[in-house]
Amino acid sequence: MARRTIATEVTTDGVALHAGRNIRMTLVPAAAETGIVFRRSDLGGAEFPARYDRVTETRLGTVIGEGEVRVGVIEHLMAAIAGAEIDDLIVTLDGPEPPILDGDALSYLDLILRAGTRELRGIRNAVRVLRRVEVKAGDASAALVPADRLEFELEIVFASAAIGQQRLEWIFSAEGFRNDIAPARTFGFIHELESLNKAGLAHGASLDNTLAIDGDMVVNATLLRFADEFVRHKILDALGDMALAGAPLIARFEGHKSGHALNNVLLHTLFANPANFEFVAAG
């Protein structure tokens, strides 16, 4: 399978989830072997690759960076890039985060599809997991298990009856991603909003882009697209985090109450031992 980038440059803008201000984002076609690169046009064009070893923070979103230059909440965009099977791309931003848009990955995916895709010279490689790798933190766990394709099994448990316990198994495909995972919106709890705002977070969260939970109720339930939207969004997050491996994974992701921090530790653990994986041509 050949590597792919987008066919033409495409731009959008919107409010940033945490920064709360308008951000302009441009997706730019890239040469083969570039990988996914983030560029801060507001900071002199500083850029860095979207890789697990560039993650600097995982509170309420995956943040990557180099030195003082950072880009946060990249997981939804990375999920869309992985869902569209794009290998090489430059993401240019004039601020610290991509715009949150609809709080899902579908809005990014539609942007990519609007740009179109084209093949590049060079072979698309994948990372095949050879043996089970697992990490734990309290009662949460995440694992990568040998498999013939990329698939996910994820379970979440929340005290709020609005979410409760949800579990989903899902096999990756571009079509399945668009229909079953990409539309699932991010979510948050009303009782945490004030403290998050004081910490400089969630200033761009709104009832238009975030499923808001108040006690046991979803305040803006009319936005729900799935009965189990919350676990679907967690799979969306996990796909975006796993895309930081630098190449598509051939593995089964198994998560129980896992989040961005544990997902990142999982990739570090995978690549810490060469016996855990091998590079192969993607089928």
Side-chain angles (χ1 to χ4, degrees):
M1 180 182 293
R3 298 179 69 88
R4 292 208 301 178
T5 188
I6 58 174
T8 59
E9 186 175 299
V10 64
T11 297
T12 191
D13 62 83
V15 69
L17 178 63
H18 293 313
R21 65 179 179 84
N22 199 70
I23 303 290
R24 187 174 182 83
M25 178 177 76
T26 301
L27 305 182
V28 182
E33 308 298 336
T34 298
I36 310 303
V37 173
F38 281 81
R39 176 182 294 157
R40 287 286 301 270
S41 62
D42 59 323
L43 296 177
E47 60 182 38
F48 37 82
R51 286 206 318 258
Y52 72 97
D53 55 354
R54 300 300 177 97
V55 172
T56 61
E57 188 182 337
T58 51
R59 183 188 178 194
L60 298 179
T62 297
V63 181
I64 61 171
E66 191 170 280
E68 297 300 314
V69 182
R70 298 185 178 188
V71 174
V73 200
I74 65 167
E75 61 274 11
H76 301 170
L77 176 59
M78 289 302 299
I81 291 169
E85 299 180 294
I86 298 294
D87 303 288
D88 302 295
L89 183 70
I90 297 172
V91 181
T92 301
L93 301 165
D94 66 356
E97 309 162 40
I100 191 63
L101 301 182
D102 284 340
D104 56 12
L106 184 60
S107 47
Y108 296 121
L109 183 61
D110 285 342
L111 188 68
I112 292 170
L113 296 180
R114 195 169 85 210
T117 63
R118 63 181 175 88
E119 292 190 350
L120 299 168
R121 291 184 179 179
I123 300 298
R124 185 180 209 225
N125 290 319
V127 177
R128 181 189 297 276
V129 172
L130 298 177
R131 60 184 186 179
R132 183 182 182 90
V133 177
E134 184 173 14
V135 294
K136 297 181 178 182
D139 63 346
S141 64
L144 287 170
V145 183
D148 294 330
R149 57 198 176 188
L150 179 59
E151 51 190 69
F152 291 81
E153 177 188 349
L154 193 61
E155 181 180 45
I156 59 174
V157 182
F158 284 86
S160 169
I163 304 176
Q165 182 175 359
Q166 297 184 2
R167 178 181 174 276
L168 184 65
E169 292 191 46
W170 177 71
I171 298 169
F172 175 86
S173 70
E175 182 179 2
F177 174 72
R178 178 174 181 81
N179 295 332
D180 303 329
I181 301 298
R185 283 188 176 89
T186 192
F187 58 94
F189 296 87
I190 294 292
H191 73 270
E192 297 177 348
L193 186 58
E194 183 178 355
S195 61
L196 290 174
N197 286 168
K198 288 180 178 178
L201 301 169
H203 287 296
S206 75
L207 295 179
D208 294 323
N209 60 35
T210 302
L211 295 172
I213 301 161
D214 189 8
D216 291 331
M217 301 290 293
V218 180
V219 175
N220 49 348
T222 55
L223 292 188
L224 283 167
R225 291 164 167 161
F226 306 97
D228 57 351
E229 186 150 352
F230 303 99
V231 71
R232 289 173 188 263
H233 185 80
K234 285 295 189 178
I235 288 180
L236 186 161
D237 282 346
L239 175 62
D241 287 341
M242 292 303 102
L244 297 179
L249 289 174
I250 302 175
R252 178 181 177 87
F253 176 95
E254 297 178 352
H256 174 73
K257 301 172 69 174
S258 60
H260 300 304
L262 208 54
N263 293 345
N264 186 246
V265 173
L266 180 60
L267 285 182
H268 275 277
T269 304
L270 172 70
F271 290 113
N273 188 338
N276 291 337
F277 66 95
E278 64 178 349
F279 289 100
V280 297

